[in-house]
Amino acid sequence: IQKLCDRVASSTLLDDRRDAVRALKSLSKKYRLEVGIQAMEHLIHVLQTDRSDSEIIGYALDTLYNIISNDLEEEEQEENVPKQADDLGSQFTEIFIKQQENVTLLLTLVEEFDFHVRWPGVKLLTSLLKQQGPQVQQIILVSPMGVSRLMDLLADSREVIRNDGVLLLQQLTKSNAAIQKIVAFENAFERLLDIITEEGNSDGGIVVEDCLLLLQNLLKNNNSNQNFFKEGSYIQRMKPWFEVGDDNCGWSAQKVTNLHLMLQLVRVLVSPTNPPGATSSCQKAMFHCGLLQQLCTILMATGVPADILTETINTVSEVIRGCQINQDYFASVNAPSNPPRPAIVVLLMSMVNERQPFVLRCAVLYCFQCFLYKNQKGQGEIVSTLLPSTIDATGNSVSAGQLLCGGLFSTDSLSNWCAAVALAHALQENAPLKEQLLRVQLATSIGNPPVSLLQQCTNILSQGSKVQTRVGLLMLLCTWLSNCSIAVTHFLHNPANIPFLTGQIAENLGEEEQLVQGLCALLLGISIYYNDNSLENYRKEKLKQLIEKRIGRENFIEKLGFISKHELYSRAAQKPQPSFSSPDHMMFDHEFTKLVKELEGVISKAIYKSSEEDKKEEEVKKTLEQHDNIVTHYKKVIREQDQELEELKQQINTLKSQNEQLQTTVTQQVSQIQQHKDQYNLLKVQLGKDNQHHNSHGETFQMNGIQLEEVSKLKEELEEWKNKHELLQGQLREKESVIEKLKSSQLEMGTTEQSSQTNKSGGSELNNELQKELETLRSQIQLQSTEISKLQSENQKLQLLNAAADPVLGDCGATTAKNSEAEGRLLQEVKELKNEVKALSEEKASLKQHLDSSNSTVAILQDQKSKLQQEVAESKKEQDDLLVLLADQDQKLSALKNKLKELGEPVEDEDDIESGDQADEDEDGEEEEQD
């Protein structure tokens, strides 16, 4: 060895050094100590200097592995070779890792792709981790990209390296949360699950087992990785692992091991020791992906090995524990029997059957406890099967309650204990059910009256059965009576119970009986603490006095302390799952240990309290109860309001969704309308080339029956306006003739005024009034003439529009004849031209406004006409009055003439007078013309 070491150190030729290292490798298995002491330093030097030659590096790594690894030593020990005093492996490892650069160098060598370098490097690093795990983990953790380099081994196409890489990562991730997190975030879950799938899931070989062990390392007690596993939807990928066929006979040992590890991995994710929120989310994910359903299928399948069935029951227990959805599903699972029975009933039948394996019975009890944990609905269903109203009288089917009662009073003490604990879990933290269970009546034997369940339990206690049975019954009674005053009253109502308890506590018995004494003291303490003083003989004060006389307070407290000091009590308090090495150790239940912790101190205080303190405490309790009632009332109100809020939120969400749908439809319709507009504009452009001279009016007259009818209506309205115009013109002519007549009558009145001297003043006044009236008539006539001129201009415009409409229609007809294809397209797209129709309707409305304005002017003219007619009628009346006056004047003149003739005065004739008047009128006319 010394010569070989010298050759490795001093030879200049690579071949010589390689041969020397190969020789050292062959000696290293047999002469491990000598090679390790003399050659380690030279081998490390070779790793540093001869990196270019993979062969010498491979030999050096193999030699170091033989020196450090204890695997060969273990093989020798199997051959009964005496073990060496010192642990060589850990010592050589300590020497190797003293220089941290050596581990860093090894990490770089593991990166090499060459098989002869990479594989021995992986084995050496694994061996180092086995010997000095925490120290090597720390070196790898602080080296740059140390963990990431090792993760690349899982992607190696060579299975040997990949599989040894899994073993290396197993050692690397042991008890190191930081490395576990890095490995998980380097996509380890994806790669490992892929390997398991490639290898055939549970049917795979030892590689699947190694991958499952590595997954357990990564997930156990690591909340961050568990959350990452759930968020990455990797729980869903576990479902195919548990697909089993109908024929489950002849499973290989490897398959049983794989399936066992797979079930344990599920339990790691839903363990009661995990944070409640993380466990709950994993439980829900397992239900939604169908994993729980798959596990229940295994549970009810035939031919499954006993240890797999037991582990499956434990796994299902933790998947449903405290999760209402999963518990409800489990309650609905039926066993494939005829008739089908609930899975719970089938499992309870195994629990109370003494021929079943002890481990399986413990698993069923755990499953039942997990089913009832925080499940008031399930508790109610179990208790209801015991009540008189729901028991099946025909006896065709066995209920869960009947099985529990049967187990409670069977001859097998283990069945008694299991049934008592199961029934206690049905009452856990559920005061109404404790009261309901008091109604249960049992028929003990034919001819005897039925006995209550509470009475039967106390009867069995007093008969002095096995310790295990009595412990189970006492745990049931303590759970039942705690926090239930009515149950305490029922218990105290039996006069034999208190003497029995005091007798048990007062006796000095062996160690086995000390546990029973402690539980009896607890039950008596509960009877005092939860006593409502309804029974005169068993009031709190009297029971305390009884303890003082028969037992002594100090002795009572000492006996009460036996429970928590017991070794089996501390074991049961550690975790919820009942795990006992043998049936004899099955004494305490996990939930019961919590109850003892809660009540032990309270009962000790209650024993030493005076009656006044008890009264004060009762008053405080009453006020607290009132306060609790108020709180529950408000909680109920808040719950109702929350429900209303949820309903309103749902309504808002539905309305939002409807609104979004409507908005999408509106946007679709808008886009469709835009498309139709574009199509219409294209068609209009095509048609516009043929009839460009119809830009303004052509838009208003489409090739549409509706617009043609409107044009004809407009024509008719124009004709009506023409007729009305002609009527107005005729009326104006009549008014002009009336005015002419008035003028003539005015002239006549003027002559009469000049001739008559006597009534000169009255005639002048009339003349002035008539002149004023004439002036007003003239102004009105001028206004009417202006209105008429406006109407005539509007009439001309309408005529022009009408005249323009006819040629447009004619042209449109011509264009339709020319462009028959375009017409067909337009007729098909009539519905798509809604916007253009709106434009037409607006123009129609403007025409109607014009018509309305002309109608209003006509109405004004008609009013003015009526006023003129009234004025003409008034002027006619005045004219008639003037004529009457003239006639009177003529008569007077003739009378005066006659008198003058009689008197002989010369009188002119009428003809002469008329000729004179005529001459005067002519003169006046000439003057007016000159003016």
Side-chain angles (χ1 to χ4, degrees):
I1 292 168
Q2 184 61 48
K3 285 179 183 178
L4 291 170
C5 289
D6 292 340
R7 280 176 64 189
V8 170
S10 59
S11 293
T12 54
L13 290 173
L14 180 61
D15 291 339
D16 290 344
R17 291 201 302 278
R18 189 190 302 129
D19 292 338
V21 173
R22 188 192 297 122
L24 284 170
K25 176 192 166 186
S26 61
L27 290 169
S28 61
K29 287 183 181 178
K30 193 171 183 182
Y31 302 104
R32 182 180 172 195
L33 178 63
E34 292 79 1
V35 173
I37 291 168
Q38 297 179 44
M40 183 176 280
E41 190 179 341
H42 301 298
L43 293 169
I44 293 167
H45 184 70
V46 167
L47 295 178
Q48 292 168 346
T49 54
D50 291 329
R51 290 280 300 277
S52 58
D53 186 58
S54 59
E55 199 173 348
I56 192 171
I57 295 290
Y59 292 147
L61 290 169
D62 280 332
T63 310
L64 286 169
Y65 172 72
N66 292 339
I67 294 166
I68 288 168
S69 175
N70 281 332
D71 295 344
L72 300 170
E73 191 178 322
E74 287 168 8
E75 289 173 13
E76 289 171 1
Q77 285 172 17
E78 288 174 9
E79 296 169 6
N80 298 319
V81 175
K83 185 183 176 184
Q84 292 185 4
D86 298 323
D87 186 4
L88 292 176
S90 63
Q91 288 176 8
F92 283 131
T93 303
E94 204 169 330
I95 295 164
F96 186 83
I97 66 171
K98 194 173 283 183
Q99 299 294 325
Q100 291 190 9
E101 297 82 11
N102 296 340
V103 179
T104 312
L105 176 64
L106 194 53
L107 287 171
T108 55
L109 290 171
V110 166
E111 277 189 295
E112 295 287 336
F113 186 72
D114 193 320
F115 181 81
H116 296 292
V117 175
R118 197 172 208 184
W119 188 41
V122 169
K123 289 197 294 180
L124 177 57
L125 196 53
T126 309
S127 187
L128 290 172
L129 283 161
K130 279 182 183 177
Q131 302 298 336
Q132 298 285 341
Q135 292 90 330
V136 180
Q137 283 174 343
Q138 200 58 38
I139 295 166
I140 292 171
L141 195 58
V142 296
S143 67
M145 297 293 289
V147 179
S148 301
R149 292 179 196 175
L150 299 177
M151 282 302 299
D152 293 337
L153 297 170
L154 294 181
D156 201 305
S157 57
R158 295 161 294 194
E159 285 191 9
V160 177
I161 293 176
R162 185 198 68 185
N163 298 344
D164 280 351
V166 173
L167 294 172
L168 168 59
L169 290 169
Q170 269 184 37
Q171 297 299 325
L172 182 66
T173 54
K174 271 186 181 175
S175 308
N176 193 312
I179 292 176
Q180 288 167 5
K181 287 178 186 176
I182 296 168
V183 170
F185 283 98
E186 288 282 348
N187 210 17
F189 293 137
E190 184 79 35
R191 293 182 186 180
L192 291 169
L193 291 170
D194 287 342
I195 293 168
I196 291 169
T197 307
E198 287 169 17
E199 295 290 326
N201 294 329
S202 60
D203 293 319
I206 197 166
V207 180
V208 172
E209 182 183 343
D210 292 336
C211 289
L212 291 167
L213 287 167
L214 177 52
L215 283 170
Q216 274 194 27
N217 280 1
L218 295 173
L219 292 170
K220 200 166 189 177
N221 301 322
N222 193 319
N223 300 327
S224 171
N225 281 4
Q226 286 173 9
N227 191 49
F228 181 64
F229 192 83
K230 181 185 72 71
E231 295 295 332
S233 301
Y234 296 120
I235 289 174
Q236 287 82 329
R237 293 188 61 179
M238 296 168 78
K239 186 190 170 187
W241 295 355
F242 304 105
E243 290 174 358
V244 295
D246 297 328
D247 184 20
N248 295 310
C249 298
W251 282 14
S252 67
Q254 188 61 56
K255 180 169 182 175
V256 172
T257 306
N258 289 348
L259 208 52
H260 208 277
L261 288 169
M262 287 169 176
L263 290 165
Q264 283 181 355
L265 196 62
V266 175
R267 291 184 67 184
V268 164
L269 293 168
V270 291
S271 171
T273 56
N274 292 346
T279 301
S280 176
S281 58
C282 287
Q283 287 171 332
K284 286 173 184 172
M286 286 174 185
F287 173 75
H288 290 304
C289 76
L291 181 57
L292 174 60
Q293 293 84 327
Q294 205 68 49
L295 291 171
C296 289
T297 307
I298 297 174
L299 204 66
M300 295 292 114
T302 53
V304 177
D307 53 346
I308 293 297
L309 183 60
T310 304
E311 191 61 26
T312 306
I313 294 169
N314 286 327
T315 307
V316 169
S317 306
E318 292 182 354
V319 173
I320 67 171
R321 188 176 190 268
C323 182
Q324 192 65 54
I325 305 169
N326 295 4
Q327 288 167 338
D328 291 343
Y329 170 75
F330 185 67
S332 67
V333 174
N334 285 323
S337 59
N338 193 15
R341 285 177 175 165
I344 296 168
V345 172
V346 174
L347 290 171
L348 286 176
M349 288 169 78
S350 303
M351 187 184 77
V352 297
N353 184 354
E354 56 187 302
R355 288 193 296 273
Q356 292 292 344
F358 170 67
V359 184
L360 180 66
R361 294 172 77 180
C362 288
V364 172
L365 176 62
Y366 184 45
C367 186
F368 192 70
Q369 289 174 351
C370 291
F371 169 66
L372 297 177
Y373 183 70
K374 292 184 180 177
N375 182 10
Q376 293 196 345
K377 181 184 171 186
Q379 288 175 323
E381 287 170 0
I382 296 297
V383 171
S384 67
T385 58
L386 284 164
L387 299 176
S389 57
T390 55
I391 290 173
D392 186 6
T394 57
N396 290 334
S397 61
V398 182
S399 68
Q402 289 169 324
L403 284 169
L404 289 176
C405 277
L408 200 61
F409 308 123
S410 74
T411 54
D412 178 32
S413 62
L414 191 60
S415 296
N416 301 154
W417 191 91
C418 289
V421 170
L423 204 53
H425 275 263
L427 303 174
Q428 203 82 41
E429 297 178 3
N430 200 327
L433 289 184
K434 292 176 181 178
E435 296 175 16
Q436 291 267 343
L437 202 63
L438 295 169
R439 294 168 47 206
V440 176
Q441 299 288 320
L442 301 173
T444 52
S445 58
I446 299 166
N448 292 331
V451 181
S452 71
L453 178 62
L454 187 67
Q455 182 64 47
Q456 185 64 17
C457 289
T458 54
N459 289 344
I460 293 168
L461 265 179
S462 60
Q463 288 168 9
S465 50
K466 289 182 181 178
V467 173
Q468 195 172 37
T469 303
R470 282 182 288 161
V471 168
L473 288 169
L474 283 166
M475 284 198 296
L476 171 60
L477 288 170
C478 289
T479 308
W480 194 347
L481 268 59
S482 65
N483 207 16
C484 184
S485 300
I486 298 168
V488 170
T489 306
H490 276 255
F491 178 75
L492 295 173
H493 203 271
N494 185 352
N497 288 340
I498 294 299
F500 168 73
L501 290 177
T502 52
Q504 286 285 317
I505 299 163
E507 286 181 17
N508 288 320
L509 302 169
E511 287 186 9
E512 289 184 359
E513 293 294 330
Q514 281 184 352
L515 195 54
V516 176
Q517 285 183 321
L519 290 168
C520 287
L522 181 66
L523 184 57
L524 184 57
I526 288 168
S527 302
I528 293 168
Y529 185 70
Y530 292 106
N531 192 342
D532 59 358
N533 295 326
S534 56
L535 294 174
E536 186 62 34
N537 294 332
Y538 296 104
R539 293 172 67 83
K540 282 185 178 181
E541 199 57 40
K542 288 190 176 181
L543 289 172
K544 286 179 191 176
Q545 290 171 6
L546 186 68
I547 289 171
E548 183 67 35
K549 287 178 184 176
R550 295 276 181 88
I551 306 162
R553 287 180 184 175
E554 289 78 10
N555 192 22
F556 178 84
I557 299 298
E558 185 187 348
K559 296 286 172 76
L560 186 63
F562 284 164
I563 303 170
S564 55
K565 289 174 185 174
H566 204 282
E567 182 189 353
L568 297 174
Y569 173 89
S570 56
R571 274 194 212 167
Q574 288 172 4
K575 58 180 182 177
Q577 185 183 352
S579 55
F580 306 101
S581 55
S582 69
D584 297 335
H585 292 159
M586 211 169 189
M587 287 292 175
F588 284 109
D589 170 53
H590 178 75
E591 290 297 323
F592 181 73
T593 60
K594 292 181 183 177
L595 183 70
V596 172
K597 280 180 189 174
E598 183 186 333
L599 293 176
E600 191 175 8
V602 174
I603 290 167
S604 300
K605 287 178 185 175
I607 295 297
Y608 285 102
K609 272 181 188 173
S610 62
S611 56
E612 292 177 1
E613 288 175 344
D614 284 338
K615 284 177 184 177
K616 286 180 183 177
E617 194 174 329
E618 282 175 8
E619 288 174 3
V620 171
K621 276 185 181 178
K622 284 178 183 177
T623 54
L624 284 172
E625 282 175 5
Q626 290 174 356
H627 181 263
D628 288 341
N629 291 333
I630 293 164
V631 169
T632 50
H633 171 69
Y634 280 116
K635 277 182 180 176
K636 188 179 178 183
V637 170
I638 289 164
R639 205 175 291 117
E640 289 171 358
Q641 288 176 349
D642 285 342
Q643 288 176 355
E644 288 175 6
L645 277 171
E646 285 298 323
E647 289 172 2
L648 289 170
K649 281 179 183 176
Q650 288 175 358
Q651 288 178 4
I652 288 165
N653 289 330
T654 52
L655 289 170
K656 278 182 180 176
S657 61
Q658 288 176 3
N659 186 20
E660 287 172 1
Q661 289 175 359
L662 290 170
Q663 282 179 350
T664 51
T665 52
V666 164
T667 51
Q668 288 173 0
Q669 287 176 355
V670 166
S671 63
Q672 287 177 359
I673 288 164
Q674 190 60 41
Q675 288 175 1
H676 294 325
K677 272 186 182 178
D678 296 339
Q679 291 174 1
Y680 167 70
N681 289 329
L682 285 170
L683 291 168
K684 196 162 81 173
V685 168
Q686 288 173 0
L687 289 170
K689 290 175 183 176
D690 296 331
N691 47 0
Q692 291 177 351
H693 59 284
H694 306 132
N695 288 333
S696 61
H697 298 292
E699 291 178 0
T700 61
F701 294 95
Q702 302 294 325
M703 289 174 286
N704 197 331
I706 298 165
Q707 278 84 11
L708 293 171
E709 287 177 7
E710 289 178 358
V711 169
S712 62
K713 284 180 184 177
L714 287 170
K715 281 183 179 179
E716 289 173 3
E717 288 176 1
L718 284 168
E719 289 296 326
E720 288 176 6
W721 282 113
K722 283 178 184 177
N723 296 330
K724 286 180 182 178
H725 184 65
E726 288 173 1
L727 285 169
L728 288 169
Q729 282 180 343
Q731 288 173 1
L732 283 169
R733 287 193 208 100
E734 289 174 2
K735 286 177 183 178
E736 285 173 356
S737 63
V738 170
I739 289 160
E740 288 297 324
K741 287 177 184 178
L742 287 168
K743 280 182 180 180
S744 61
S745 64
Q746 185 185 7
L747 291 170
E748 288 174 1
M749 284 163 65
T751 56
T752 54
E753 285 170 2
Q754 287 176 1
S755 61
S756 63
Q757 292 174 357
T758 58
N759 297 319
K760 193 173 183 179
S761 63
S764 63
E765 288 175 0
L766 288 167
N767 189 10
N768 289 330
E769 288 176 359
L770 284 169
Q771 279 180 353
K772 287 178 181 177
E773 287 176 358
L774 279 169
E775 287 297 324
T776 54
L777 282 169
R778 280 174 186 168
S779 63
Q780 287 176 355
I781 287 161
Q782 283 177 358
L783 288 168
Q784 285 179 350
S785 64
T786 56
E787 290 290 333
I788 287 161
S789 64
K790 284 181 183 177
L791 282 169
Q792 284 174 348
S793 65
E794 286 180 2
N795 188 12
Q796 285 173 0
K797 286 179 183 177
L798 288 168
Q799 283 175 353
L800 287 168
L801 195 145
N802 189 12
D806 293 336
V808 166
L809 288 169
D811 291 339
C812 289
T815 54
T816 54
K818 290 176 185 176
N819 302 316
S820 59
E821 291 179 3
E823 283 176 16
R825 271 186 247 149
L826 281 169
L827 288 169
Q828 287 176 0
E829 304 259 339
V830 166
K831 290 182 181 179
E832 300 170 0
L833 303 176
K834 289 181 181 178
N835 292 329
E836 196 63 32
V837 172
K838 284 183 182 178
L840 282 171
S841 64
E842 287 175 2
E843 289 186 8
K844 179 183 169 185
S846 66
L847 286 171
K848 281 185 180 179
Q849 285 177 358
H850 286 302
L851 289 172
D852 290 338
S853 64
S854 57
N855 281 329
S856 63
T857 53
V858 168
I860 291 163
L861 286 172
Q862 284 177 350
D863 291 335
Q864 289 176 353
K865 176 187 167 186
S866 62
K867 286 178 183 177
L868 285 169
Q869 284 175 350
Q870 287 177 0
E871 289 172 357
V872 168
E874 288 173 359
S875 61
K876 278 182 181 179
K877 283 181 184 178
E878 290 173 356
Q879 192 177 4
D880 290 338
D881 294 336
L882 288 168
L883 288 170
V884 171
L885 288 168
L886 288 169
D888 291 338
Q889 286 178 355
D890 285 339
Q891 287 177 0
K892 287 177 182 178
L893 285 169
S894 62
L896 289 167
K897 282 178 184 179
N898 291 328
K899 285 180 180 180
L900 288 168
K901 283 178 182 180
E902 288 174 359
L903 292 170
E905 288 291 325
V907 179
E908 292 179 358
D909 293 330
E910 287 179 3
D911 296 333
D912 297 334
I913 294 164
E914 286 175 2
S915 63
D917 291 338
Q918 186 68 40
D920 293 335
E921 284 177 5
D922 292 337
E923 288 175 5
D924 293 334
E926 287 173 2
E927 288 174 1
E928 287 175 0
E929 284 175 2
Q930 287 174 3
D931 294 337

